[in-house]
């Protein structure tokens, strides 16, 4: 490989164009386009096998793309060797070198690049992760959380243009994971390096990243800020994979000013036109999915039938199950029209839990609902086994 | 550390497989392997072919002893296989090797079980004790058996004292029993270590789970531990049986002319009478027989992936 | 080291007869059995060691009294030390070459996917599954055909041949247990292929290579059958012992064997202790 392809010093946005990776007949990554602005915290979120790790490995240079290109700033790094790119990785199992002590692990990249200031940089990096005191220990003598930080320090010390994190918190227990999420966010803000974080954990992605890309079957389904993705999902997969959603099949019956009018077996609803996913046809007679997040639904005891709220977005049904979780109670309500709707009710007053069998009325603000394409599977992304991270 | 430990690894390797990352440079692996494979090609494969050619040679008419020409005389095989002075030792070899294998299994399995589950913190010490005999030249160890089993040795003395032998009637050395004992002894570590390696990987929790599921003690062993240790048993029996069949040191040192094994015949034909075609035929017949026995055995046990 | 712990399982009340026998066996008979098995394994070792102190006359078969003479003068018997030196020299050369060639094959087999992997594995496996007598006689057939004079170098060639497979298998096992991500991480941290191999793979592989070398040496040092076919007039230690078995083995041979035993045991024990110390940090 010629020296001219050594671009370890460049800086800028990460641009991925038409990136494709096939393994035999299987397409892991399918014509992916992505732009990650310099200095942002970017999360690539998806179930195992969606192609996110393959994408990451191609950016790191550990996998060669079948087609497409990867560039940082103006420099094309598509076919550079891993050691010729301004990219460093925090590996899923950390991949700390077991025969080298912590200091030498962190110094490894600097030494390879013949950096003149190894000692100061290593100590700074260890200080950043608050682990200066374990400098002379071997990786095997550290706890999982400590190893995780060392893996981070070992990558960050090189000041790469892009830092890749492959499920970095997957091996830690819940409490430590929460703590490390805050830590990672702090370090990213402090060093200002572009972080690309691959995870199957939607909570992890949402708490840390500025921008989240939801990936499924080799393509990016939707990209945006965590709030945008959560409040306005464009596909059933995103709606279900990020939190939970009730997706009810309905038919468009017309329009009223800025609202779309719909109906299903339970009655009539309205949803603002602004809340229709891009590209979905809401002409009269069209079949669509109406989505509402469970926590957006208000549930009340059904005392007098027909005493309906005036805004019209309501259904009636009976409580099928109630699950008390502490902060809230999660209900499944069987509607008269035959749907099952999930509802989260905050536990504001002690003892105010509806028993199964109770007749309730569910209602929501029209502005909280959203409309998706009616041809989608309402369960897409809901039943995935997100434990089997890969 | 030892032959059998390494072979335990063969088995481990074959059972688990390993992640194989793809690399660039298609010629690199060939380049790395070239010298080693060339060595095996020239000094293992080519000699086998040469040996086969040699098995089809006949004596040069009027030539000296040890002078042969290539006549593709397949009848050599018939001649040798119909000669009782050859097929008897061949048959005997398989009987002795089979006895030694069964004995080694009977001694080695409980020993491996003991080390794996009952040895506590002395486990490594016991393992070293299993391989320790390897550190003494195996010929000397076999000769030590000759001393131990000799008429004036401790075993015969003890048996005479216990009334098994009356004075003047036979001993143990030299005899078929001594040869089988020697074979069993020499290959016992090859039996014990692979079984230990597979027992060691049996999670004690599995046996506990079996106990929890109403399969206590013996049933738990029969239904859980034993099947899980089968790969080790298969590897151990093969590692004992194959070399024991071809061995001739034990027969030479612990037996007499009535205990001759096929290895002795090959050695004698090659090095003493320079009857190369006969020696070559015997080598090939031995290999073919071993291959046949092993294939039948492995198929019967149902772990073909071991090979 | 305690007896079977009696855990209160639901099935306890209805212990079957085989199970009760099994438990009793587990706690008592198994230990006795192990003692007998170890006695069987170690008795010849003890014998060999004891007879190195025998005040043997012509033959070292019967105990004639204790002496230190053999230990003080290990080269006293003709050919004992000469054959030992041959065995050591052959062992060292064969080990060095076989370890190098075998390690390269192991690296290719574990780290690369290539056409012919399965047949390579078979070629590695076959020499280990072939009886020694066949290995030895076929190699002799080749040497006879090519009129190669038998001697020191034909033994070395033969030993390298049968050691390669064992080296491959030992190093392969170690390599397979190495996480390939470590090398990837090194390359991610600006080490090129050569540096990643030298700084990460090779140091982590070193214990496996050392074990393979020790194994190769002990196989070569102790080999008799293959050597016997291809040695011509050259004597190795096992061959010397075998050949002199019928006219009486000098007690000096027992001295050499006992010394080798003690040295090997020391190496293993030190390796164990070092390993334990390293694990404790």
């Amino acid at each position: 490989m010629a020296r001219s392809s050594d671009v370890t010093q460049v800086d800028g946005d990460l641009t991925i164009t038409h990136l494709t990776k096939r393994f035999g007949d299987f397409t892991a990554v399918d014509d992916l386009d992505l732009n990650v602005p310099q200095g942002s915290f970017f999360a690539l979120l998806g179930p195992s096998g969606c192609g996110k790790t393959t994408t990451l490995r191609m950016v790191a240079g550990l996998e060669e793309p079948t087609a497409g290109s990867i560039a940082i700033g103006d420099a094309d790094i598509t076919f550079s060797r891993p050691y010729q790119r301004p990219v460093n990785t925090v590996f899923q199992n950390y991949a700390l070198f077991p025969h080298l002590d912590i200091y030498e692990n962190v110094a490894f990249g600097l030494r390879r690049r013949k950096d003149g200031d190894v000692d100061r940089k290593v100590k700074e990096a260890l200080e950043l992760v608050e682990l200066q005191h374990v400098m002379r220990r071997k990786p095997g003598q550290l706890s999982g959380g400590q190893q995780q930080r060392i893996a981070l320090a070992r990558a960050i010390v090189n000041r790469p243009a892009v830092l890749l994190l492959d499920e970095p918190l997957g091996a830690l227990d819940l409490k430590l994971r929460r703590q490390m999420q805050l830590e990672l966010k702090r370090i990213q803000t402090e060093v200002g390096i572009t972080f690309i974080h691959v995870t199957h954990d939607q909570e992890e992605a949402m708490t840390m990243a500025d921008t989240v890309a939801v990936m499924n079957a080799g393509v990016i389904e939707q990209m945006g800020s965590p709030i945008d993705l959560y409040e306005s999902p464009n596909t059933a997969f995103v709606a279900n994979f990020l939190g939970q959603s009730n997706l009810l099949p309905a038919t468009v019956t017309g329009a009223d000013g800025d609202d779309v009018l719909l109906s299903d077996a339970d009655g009539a609803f309205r949803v603002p036109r602004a809340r229709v996913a891009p590209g979905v046809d809401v002409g009269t007679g069209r079949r669509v999915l109406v989505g509402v997040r469970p926590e957006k639904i208000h549930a009340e005891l059904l005392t007098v039938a027909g005493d309906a709220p005036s805004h019209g977005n309501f259904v009636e049904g009976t409580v099928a199950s109630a699950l008390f979780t502490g902060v809230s109670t999660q209900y499944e309500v069987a509607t008269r029209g035959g749907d099952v709707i999930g509802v989260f009710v905050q536990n504001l007053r002690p003892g105010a839990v509806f028993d199964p069998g109770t007749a309730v009325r569910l209602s929501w603000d029209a502005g909280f609902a959203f409309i998706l394409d009616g041809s989608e599977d309402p369960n897409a992304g809901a039943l995935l086994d997100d434990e089997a991270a890969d | 550390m030892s032959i059998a430990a390494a072979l335990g690894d063969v088995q481990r390797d074959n059972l688990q497989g390993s992640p194989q990352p793809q690399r660039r440079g298609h010629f690199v692996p060939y380049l790395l392997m070239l010298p080693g494979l060339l060595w095996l090609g020239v000094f293992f494969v080519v000699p086998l072919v040469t040996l086969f050619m040699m098995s089809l040679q006949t004596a040069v008419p009027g030539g000296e002893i040890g002078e042969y020409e290539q006549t593709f005389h397949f009848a050599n095989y018939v001649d040798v296989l119909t000669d009782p002075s050859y097929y008897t030792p061949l048959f005997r070899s398989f009987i002795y090797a089979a006895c030694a294998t069964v004995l080694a299994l009977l001694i080695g399995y409980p020993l491996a079980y003991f080390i794996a589950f009952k040895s506590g913190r002395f486990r490594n010490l016991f393992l070293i004790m299993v391989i320790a005999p390897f550190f003494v030249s195996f010929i000397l160890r076999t000769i030590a058996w000759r001393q131990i089993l000799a008429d004036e040795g401790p075993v015969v003395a003890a048996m005479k004292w216990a009334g098994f032998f009356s004075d003047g009637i036979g001993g143990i050395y030299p005899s078929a029993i001594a040869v089988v004992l020697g074979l069993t002894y020499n290959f016992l570590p090859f039996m014990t270590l692979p079984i230990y390696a597979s027992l060691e990987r049996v999670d004690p929790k599995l046996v506990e789970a079996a106990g929890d599921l109403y399969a206590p003690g013996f049933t738990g062993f029969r239904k859980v531990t034993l099947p899980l240790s089968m790969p080790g048993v298969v590897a151990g029996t093969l590692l004992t049986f194959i070399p024991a069949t071809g061995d001739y040191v034990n027969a030479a040192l612990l037996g007499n002319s009535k205990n001759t094994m096929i290895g002795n015949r090959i050695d004698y034909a090659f090095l003493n009478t320079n009857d190369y075609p006969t020696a070559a035929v015997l080598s090939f017949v031995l290999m073919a027989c071993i291959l046949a026995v092993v294939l039948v055995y492995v198929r019967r046990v149902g772990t073909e992936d071991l090979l | 080291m305690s007896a079977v712990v009696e855990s209160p399982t639901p099935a306890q009340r209805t212990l079957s007869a085989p199970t009760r026998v099994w438990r009793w066996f587990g706690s008592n008979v198994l230990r006795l059995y192990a003692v007998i098995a170890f006695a069987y394994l170690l008795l010849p070792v003890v014998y060999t060691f004891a007879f190195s102190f025998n005040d043997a006359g012509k033959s070292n078969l019967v105990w004639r009294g204790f002496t230190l003479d053999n230990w003080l003068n290990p080269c006293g018997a003709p050919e004992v030390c000469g054959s030992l030196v041959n065995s050591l020299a052959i062992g060292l050369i064969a080990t060095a070459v076989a370890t190098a060639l075998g390690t390269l094959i192991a690296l290719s087999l574990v780290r690369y996917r290539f056409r012919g992997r399965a047949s390579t594995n078979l070629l590695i496996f076959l020499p280990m599954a072939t009886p020694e007598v066949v290995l030895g006689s076929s190699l002799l057939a080749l040497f006879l055909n090519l009129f190669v004079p038998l001697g020191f170098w034909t033994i070395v060639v033969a030993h390298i041949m049968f050691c390669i497979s064992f080296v491959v298998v030992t190093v392969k096992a170690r390599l397979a247990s190495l996480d390939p991500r470590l090398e990837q991480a090194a390359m991610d941290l600006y080490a090129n292929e050569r540096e990643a191999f030298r700084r990460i793979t090779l140091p982590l592989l070193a214990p496996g290579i050392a074990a393979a070398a020790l194994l190769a040496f002990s196989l070569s040092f102790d080999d008799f059958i293959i050597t016997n076919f291809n040695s011509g007039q050259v004597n190795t230690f096992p061959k010397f012992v075998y050949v002199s078995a019928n006219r009486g083995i000098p007690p000096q041979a027992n001295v050499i064997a006992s010394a080798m035993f003690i040295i090997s045991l020391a190496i293993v024990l030190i390796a164990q202790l070092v390993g334990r110390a390293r694990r404790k940090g």
Side-chain angles (χ1 to χ4, degrees), chain A residues 57 81-83 85 87-89 91 93 95-99 108-109 112-113 154 158, chain C residues 179 181-193 195 199-200 203-204 280-281:
Chain A
R57 287 174 62 83
R81 305 292 289 132
Y83 47 85
R85 340 185 146 204
V87 175
N88 289 116
T89 311
F91 285 79
N93 64 341
L96 297 179
F97 306 129
H99 61 303
F108 192 89
R112 297 290 83 69
R113 295 209 291 174
R154 185 178 72 171
N158 304 294
Chain C
D179 189 345
R181 274 173 292 201
L182 290 176
E183 215 172 295
Q184 292 175 6
M187 285 177 56
D188 186 61
L189 293 164
Y190 312 107
N192 60 32
E193 285 88 349
E195 286 174 311
R199 302 203 175 265
I200 303 302
L204 291 172
K280 280 184 182 157

Side-chain angles (χ1 to χ4, degrees), chain A residues 73-87:
Chain A
D74 298 325
D76 186 316
I77 59 162
T78 316
F79 296 105
S80 306
R81 305 292 289 132
Y83 47 85
Q84 291 167 333
R85 340 185 146 204
V87 175

Side-chain angles (χ1 to χ4, degrees), chain A residues 279-301:
Chain A
V280 176
D281 181 2
V282 286
T284 305
R286 289 286 171 178
R287 300 280 301 163
V288 295
L289 292 173
V290 176
V292 199
R293 297 280 188 188
E295 76 279 4
K296 304 282 196 298
I297 299 175
H298 176 68
E300 60 192 335
L301 207 57

